[in-house]
Amino acid sequence: MEEALIPSIQESLKPVVALCKRRGFIYPGSEIYGGFANTYSFGPYGVELKKNVKDLWWKTFVQKRKDMVGLDGPILLHPKAWAASGHVEGFNDALIDCKACKGRFRCDHLIEEALHKSADGMTLSEMTETVIKNKIKCPKCGATDFTEARVFNLMFHTHMSKTGSDGDLAYLRPETAQAIFLDFKNIIDTTRVRVPFGVAQIGKAFRNEITPGNFVFRVIEFEQMEIEYFIRENEWKSTFISWLKSMHDWCDLIGLKKTHVHEKEHPKEQLSHYSKRTVDLVYDFPFGRSELYGLAYRTDFDLKRHAEFSGTKIEYTDPETKEKFVPHVIEPTFGVERTLLALLCDAYEEEKLENGEMRTVLHFAPRIAPVKVAVFPLMKKDPLGSKALQIFEQLRSIWACEYDESGAIGKRYRRQDELGTPFCITIDFETMENDTVTLRDRDTMKQERIPVNQLVQILSEKLK
Ligand code: GAP
């Protein structure tokens, strides 16, 4: 059998990865074929978590704001758009191969991990020289025999027609942002937006990444939630600060611990070709502090380049002053998979209980938890079973609910703890006497007795 392509996962992530697989959050991609490197499926609970994150993001940044509209642009854009955006020329990584085991690595990562110094700003030959001079070992086989570092474009290619010739080359988008710039003119011509305003989009992006096995942190197919916020040039500093605050507020809203989220300013010499200022929100992942989200001041670079490459005039006219100008752009960008990984790492706890037993629990904020309420009959048999089903049917029309009638109640609680379900309801013999149930809180494990006719109201309060 061929060597499995499922990447070996870094030690620090193993408990979270194991839980994700065991409980149906995230599976390795194409597993029955031995895996397909750096691809993953989101299982039944992963997809719910993802949907809750995306819905909350849309509600927060589009639905609740007067200055935002949405877009769902295509994955395949005119190939010239990627020349205009600078991706054809400049969206590259430096890669290096181990001659002994044929392992392929990002040269900057190899240097950073071996020497604990940044390779940013190094030329290809400087990188090769650093690897040779310091006798850096191959992380896979330990050999010190590498090829020269060379440039590798991160965009996936495909062909538009049956001929498959180079003339039909198209790219899968490596960022969602460009679709927004391409439709900027359509949006100002067909809606009543006024600068300053933003366009939000959620969608897939693709990058041919080499990864060091950090699970869904760096994958080749992922989702971005991006905003291009159009402003006058002189507004950029204050708009940047206010978006930075909104991004921190978002992290609070989804329940990430404040102490795990930090800012990292990009030094001038490391800025992307389009950016005059970039600040990352970095998160303390188990494998180290790494980029979660980014905020960039993209100036008027993209709109001007698309005007130039397409030959289409792209300008905004102020409806009152009739002033014409090309807006500048502040771009807050959020990766969906990284959000999920941060949420899972933040929520994960192996807790020692008073009786010495261990429980694994995900302390998700109720608003993003995949299942909100689980309903258990103490016994399968009627009348408890049918009463529990009746309550379950009522609750599932409002929230994502689970029904579980198998095994001891303690085991059922543990199952829901691992899914991060905030509340469990048990229907027992007392229910049949006085129409009350027990409501158990995931975090405190405390149980209270509440009347069935107040269940919806009490849960609504708690799940707010
Ligand atoms: N439009 C700007 C842009 O794409 P980026 O920093 O390259 O900027 C934005 O990507 C966000 O997308 C990152 O902050 C991260 O959350 C996510 N992201 C980028 N590459 C990723 C990958 N290979 N796998 C998972 N998420 C990724």
Side-chain angles (χ1 to χ4, degrees):
M1 190 173 150
E2 270 183 58
E3 191 194 345
L5 285 168
I6 297 171
S8 59
I9 292 292
Q10 289 180 1
E11 210 52 45
S12 62
L13 279 172
K14 279 190 172 159
V16 169
V17 175
L19 174 81
C20 285
K21 174 79 199 292
R22 185 169 78 242
R23 299 314 318 272
F25 282 94
I26 304 174
Y27 309 126
S30 310
E31 202 181 5
I32 60 165
Y33 285 96
F36 194 50
N38 304 324
T39 64
Y40 292 89
S41 290
F42 286 83
Y45 296 105
V47 75
E48 292 292 337
L49 183 62
K50 214 178 186 197
K51 189 174 175 302
N52 292 346
V53 166
K54 289 192 286 183
D55 287 352
L56 185 61
W57 188 88
W58 196 263
K59 193 168 185 179
T60 306
F61 293 116
V62 184
Q63 196 181 324
K64 282 191 172 177
R65 292 181 61 132
K66 288 201 294 264
D67 56 347
M68 294 284 306
V69 292
L71 180 77
D72 187 11
I75 283 171
L76 297 167
L77 301 181
H78 195 292
K80 268 194 195 169
W82 301 110
S85 68
H87 284 84
V88 171
E89 204 190 332
F91 196 52
N92 302 317
D93 272 348
L95 297 189
I96 197 162
D97 290 348
C98 168
K99 286 186 190 164
C101 73
K102 311 287 181 231
R104 178 166 288 178
F105 308 96
R106 258 180 72 169
C107 204
D108 56 340
H109 286 174
L110 200 66
I111 293 170
E112 278 159 22
E113 262 156 48
L115 306 180
H116 304 289
K117 73 170 197 182
S118 168
D120 281 334
M122 281 190 191
T123 62
L124 285 176
S125 51
E126 282 166 350
M127 284 196 198
T128 311
E129 215 181 288
T130 308
V131 172
I132 295 171
K133 224 165 100 190
N134 292 283
K135 296 195 170 57
I136 293 181
K137 285 186 181 156
C138 169
K140 260 192 182 169
C141 73
T144 53
D145 194 10
F146 285 98
T147 60
E148 298 209 335
R150 67 201 180 289
V151 154
F152 182 79
N153 192 284
L154 289 175
M155 282 197 292
F156 274 100
H157 302 158
T158 187
H159 295 276
M160 288 295 282
S161 75
K162 287 184 193 128
T163 63
S165 68
D166 265 1
D168 305 317
L169 194 63
Y171 304 98
L172 303 191
R173 64 183 182 199
E175 61 169 4
T176 56
Q178 295 304 324
I180 298 179
F181 298 126
L182 264 60
D183 272 324
F184 173 79
K185 188 173 156 26
N186 276 332
I187 292 171
I188 55 170
D189 288 349
T190 57
T191 70
R192 294 162 62 93
V193 290
R194 285 188 178 195
V195 170
F197 74 93
V199 182
Q201 184 174 208
I202 301 180
K204 289 261 183 182
F206 302 82
R207 294 182 191 178
N208 210 347
E209 304 256 25
I210 303 284
T211 87
N214 42 21
F215 199 33
V216 294
F217 177 82
R218 197 178 295 285
V219 275
I220 56 177
E221 176 183 342
F222 55 100
E223 279 185 278
Q224 292 183 319
M225 307 182 285
E226 290 201 299
I227 294 165
E228 306 305 318
Y229 198 79
F230 299 96
I231 53 168
R232 285 176 170 76
E233 185 177 1
N234 64 6
E235 294 166 332
W236 85 263
K237 286 189 178 153
S238 55
T239 313
F240 195 95
I241 298 298
S242 99
W243 272 107
L244 199 52
K245 180 173 181 314
S246 301
M247 292 175 83
H248 279 290
D249 291 346
W250 163 257
C251 293
D252 291 346
L253 186 71
I254 56 174
L256 293 181
K257 292 183 191 81
K258 269 189 196 307
T259 50
H260 291 169
V261 181
H262 315 269
E263 291 176 13
K264 185 178 163 214
E265 179 92 36
H266 284 214
K268 291 251 170 326
E269 62 284 3
Q270 286 171 25
L271 289 171
S272 312
H273 58 279
Y274 53 73
S275 176
K276 265 210 175 147
R277 185 179 179 198
T278 298
V279 173
D280 285 343
L281 286 197
V282 290
Y283 176 80
D284 292 327
F285 288 100
F287 49 84
R289 191 168 286 183
S290 301
E291 178 186 343
L292 176 63
Y293 303 141
L295 177 65
Y297 169 37
R298 288 184 86 125
T299 68
D300 54 1
F301 175 85
D302 301 273
L303 289 183
K304 279 206 166 140
R305 291 275 288 196
H306 288 304
E308 187 191 325
F309 278 63
S310 67
T312 307
K313 201 169 185 180
I314 304 180
E315 262 182 352
Y316 173 80
T317 307
D318 186 298
E320 267 146 38
T321 64
K322 306 295 172 212
E323 175 203 2
K324 288 182 189 302
F325 62 96
V326 179
H328 281 233
V329 172
I330 300 290
E331 179 194 65
T333 173
F334 307 69
V336 175
E337 282 71 6
R338 284 194 196 172
T339 307
L340 259 60
L341 184 57
L343 286 171
L344 285 157
C345 295
D346 225 62
Y348 184 90
E349 189 189 8
E350 284 172 23
E351 189 185 1
K352 192 164 188 182
L353 304 177
E354 276 170 14
N355 63 5
E357 273 178 32
M358 295 295 291
R359 73 159 181 160
T360 304
V361 54
L362 290 174
H363 297 282
F364 286 137
R367 60 170 68 84
I368 57 119
V371 179
K372 310 292 188 218
V373 188
V375 178
F376 312 148
L378 186 64
M379 290 171 69
K380 272 188 209 177
K381 277 193 273 176
D382 281 344
L384 300 191
S386 50
K387 178 71 180 173
L389 273 173
Q390 189 194 334
I391 292 175
F392 171 64
E393 288 302 334
Q394 185 196 5
L395 298 182
R396 81 195 295 208
S397 67
I398 312 173
W399 297 289
C401 294
E402 286 232 324
Y403 185 78
D404 188 356
E405 57 182 18
S406 65
I409 288 288
K411 280 221 168 108
R412 291 185 238 174
Y413 284 148
R414 295 289 171 274
R415 281 203 281 270
Q416 295 301 325
D417 288 344
E418 283 200 333
L419 298 178
T421 307
F423 299 104
C424 295
I425 289 164
T426 303
I427 286 79
D428 54 18
F429 292 107
E430 207 182 319
T431 311
M432 306 320 295
E433 284 164 19
N434 59 13
D435 216 27
T436 62
V437 291
T438 60
L439 181 66
R440 184 255 196 188
D441 181 296
R442 174 197 65 201
D443 296 336
T444 62
M445 295 194 291
K446 292 233 162 72
Q447 297 179 24
E448 55 181 317
R449 257 211 111 82
I450 56 168
V452 171
N453 63 8
Q454 285 176 30
L455 206 45
V456 170
Q457 189 203 333
I458 291 171
L459 281 170
S460 305
E461 289 287 315
K462 290 183 185 280
L463 287 166
K464 231 185 224 166

